[in-house]
Amino acid sequence: MVRRLCENCSAYVARVPRARLAGRASPKPFRYRDFGTMATIGRRAAVADFGWLKLDGTVAWLLWGPVHVSFLIGFRNRLIVMLDWVWSYVTFQSGARLITGPGSH
C-alpha cells in the first residue's frame, strides 16, 4: 500500500513542473485515499480496519489473502504466492526465505 501511494505521489510531483514548463494548467491537487489497514497475526488470525468496518479472526484472515494477492504484479507471481501459502498451510511449514552465510549480502 505504501509503495503504491509513493508511486502515485511521485507521478503527481513529476506532472506539476512538466505541466508548468509546457504552459498547461497544473493537475488537480493530490488526494490521499486511505483504503484501511490489514495484518495477518497468525494461523487463521488477522485484523482489518477500514475505518467504517473493523474485523478480526478468521474472517479478516480470509479477506487478507485475496486483498494481498490483488496488489501483486503479474499472474505468475499471484499463482506462486497462493500455491506457497496453500503448501505452508497444509504442511505447517514456515514460508520464510532467508539467505544467510558468507557472500549473502
Side-chain angles (χ1 to χ4, degrees), residues 8-9 12-13 15-16 25-33:
N8 291 342
C9 288
Y12 175 79
V13 169
R15 283 194 301 262
V16 172
S26 294
K28 291 189 248 181
F30 179 78
R31 184 174 155 246
Y32 171 72
R33 283 178 241 136

Side-chain angles (χ1 to χ4, degrees), residues 73-81:
I73 298 172
F75 174 78
R76 184 173 181 261
N77 291 334
R78 291 176 181 150
L79 181 64
I80 289 170
V81 167

Side-chain angles (χ1 to χ4, degrees), residues 95-100:
R97 303 282 191 275
L98 301 176
I99 301 172
T100 60

Side-chain angles (χ1 to χ4, degrees), residues 12-47:
Y12 175 79
V13 169
R15 283 194 301 262
V16 172
R18 199 177 305 143
R20 288 183 183 165
L21 289 172
R24 298 187 314 258
S26 294
K28 291 189 248 181
F30 179 78
R31 184 174 155 246
Y32 171 72
R33 283 178 241 136
D34 184 7
F35 293 110
T37 304
M38 299 182 80
T40 182
I41 56 174
R43 190 175 181 88
R44 290 182 42 199
V47 291

